[in-house]
Amino acid sequence: MALLHGLLWRFLLVLVHVNRALVSWLRVRLRNWKGRLWERAMAALLLPLALAGFPDHQKKLHPNPTNAHSVTGNRSASRRSRWLSDGRSLEKLPVHIGLLVAEEEPSYTDIANLVVWCMAVGISYVSVYDNHGIFQKNNSRMLEEIIRQKQVLLGIDVSKHNVEFLNNGSDTHQHQVVSFRPTVKVLSPEDGKQSIVHAAQQLCRSVENKERSSKDISVSMLDILLRESKNIPDPELVVKFGPVDSTLGFLPWHIRLTEFISLPSHKNVSYEELLGALQRYGTCQQRIGQ
């Protein structure tokens, strides 16, 4: 009898443990089921709100190209208007400006920016010069960079800023220089002393061929020959970039009355620095012949 009671007691204990395990399993399942049900319910409530805000988010990520072009165009127009206004506000503006780079490893982009800014304020002639003739040897790259920066800085409407790019040996006859069309000339030391030598040789040959007499050889005649070869006015202002205190052979015949202003470097140069140089030129007094 005692053995039967013992077996029955153990059987009841097993049932209790099984019941507890079953209750625990049901609780876990119910909790998981409620969690998934809650998640689905929240997703169903939040999905319409997410879909409603999605187009606005997409517009931020992918703005309307038309609006972007419009904003860019307005910004470019504003810059053009400001630069033109700055040019008109100066006491005097050079007709011809020279950009003399006295630094190693010249930057095409920075020089192109300077050329475009000079055009934008109303300067008609821009000469670019470096002592090693790097820009002149790569004048096609220089022209491409000027055109590219013209598009970047001035925008799409650049009809008033067409560039006439003069190459060596083709200044006259092939290119007619007009005042409303900005002209860019890339120079090297060969255009300085060598041009004087060539003009003197031409004058001597004309005397030898009896086209002129020896009495015609004069400074004024040499000056006429040099101006015919360049077909551009003398630079009123040269902005020199770099630490070297020298003109480095920049058109020695044409800079007798030129004002020189130095800036530390042409690399990363700003429009404000160029404008400051133009303002300094505008206030300087040139006592010619006094």
Side-chain angles (χ1 to χ4, degrees):
M1 190 66 179
L3 180 61
L4 181 61
H5 282 290
L7 292 174
L8 183 59
W9 177 251
R10 290 181 180 179
F11 178 73
L12 290 174
L13 288 177
V14 171
L15 288 178
V16 170
H17 286 297
V18 170
N19 181 61
R20 287 178 179 176
L22 183 61
V23 169
S24 299
W25 179 80
L26 288 175
R27 285 178 177 175
V28 172
R29 295 291 297 177
L30 183 60
R31 189 180 301 113
N32 292 339
W33 179 78
K34 286 183 178 180
R36 287 196 297 269
L37 182 62
W38 174 253
E39 291 174 359
R40 290 175 182 175
M42 291 301 296
L45 290 173
L46 295 177
L47 182 60
L49 297 175
L51 291 175
F54 184 71
D56 294 335
H57 181 65
Q58 285 294 96
K59 288 180 181 179
K60 293 179 182 179
L61 292 178
H62 306 285
N64 190 334
T66 303
N67 292 338
H69 287 306
S70 176
V71 171
T72 303
N74 292 337
R75 189 181 298 113
S76 298
S78 177
R79 284 198 299 253
R80 291 198 304 270
S81 177
R82 175 204 169 187
W83 294 336
L84 186 59
S85 176
D86 287 341
R88 290 173 177 171
S89 67
L90 295 172
E91 293 188 22
K92 60 181 179 179
L93 188 67
V95 176
H96 180 186
I97 186 173
L99 305 175
L100 193 164
V101 179
E103 298 176 89
E104 300 293 335
E105 300 180 2
S107 168
Y108 289 86
T109 300
D110 290 314
I111 287 296
N113 287 341
L114 287 163
V115 170
V116 174
W117 289 331
C118 289
M119 295 181 200
V121 298
I123 298 175
S124 298
Y125 304 93
V126 183
S127 292
V128 179
Y129 178 91
D130 70 282
N131 187 40
H132 302 291
I134 297 174
F135 288 130
Q136 192 176 83
K137 293 175 184 176
N138 301 279
N139 57 1
S140 59
R141 178 181 173 185
M142 186 78 258
L143 176 59
E144 290 175 0
E145 192 64 30
I146 291 172
I147 293 174
R148 189 176 74 84
Q149 292 305 110
K150 183 178 63 172
Q151 293 286 345
V152 171
L153 297 174
L154 298 179
I156 299 173
D157 183 17
V158 292
S159 58
K160 295 182 180 179
H161 297 276
N162 292 328
V163 181
E164 185 171 4
F165 202 75
L166 301 184
N167 295 317
N168 285 347
S170 61
D171 294 7
T172 59
H173 304 299
Q174 295 184 16
H175 296 270
Q176 296 298 320
V177 178
V178 287
S179 60
F180 58 86
R181 191 175 189 183
T183 304
V184 179
K185 176 69 177 177
V186 180
L187 302 171
S188 72
E190 295 297 319
D191 298 292
K193 296 179 180 178
Q194 285 299 319
S195 62
I196 299 175
V197 172
H198 293 157
Q201 289 175 344
Q202 181 182 350
L203 187 57
C204 292
R205 280 194 298 266
S206 65
V207 173
E208 184 181 3
N209 296 331
K210 298 181 179 180
E211 297 172 356
R212 291 188 177 93
S213 67
S214 58
K215 296 180 180 180
D216 294 329
I217 299 178
S218 64
V219 173
S220 60
M221 179 58 66
L222 184 62
D223 184 66
I224 291 172
L225 292 176
L226 286 169
R227 294 187 187 284
E228 286 179 353
S229 66
K230 289 301 168 194
N231 200 26
I232 56 176
D234 291 349
E236 294 96 339
L237 171 65
V238 170
V239 181
K240 182 182 69 67
F241 302 94
V244 181
D245 292 328
S246 171
T247 62
L248 298 176
F250 178 87
L251 296 180
W253 188 268
H254 299 79
I255 57 174
R256 292 167 293 177
L257 303 176
T258 301
E259 188 75 20
F260 278 79
I261 294 177
S262 297
L263 291 179
S265 176
H266 73 293
K267 295 179 181 178
N268 299 317
V269 67
S270 66
Y271 167 75
E272 285 69 25
E273 290 176 286
L274 175 64
L275 181 62
L278 293 173
Q279 289 170 339
R280 287 170 57 188
Y281 167 76
T283 57
C284 72
Q285 295 182 1
Q286 295 175 296
R287 295 179 174 87
I288 301 173
Q290 297 181 6

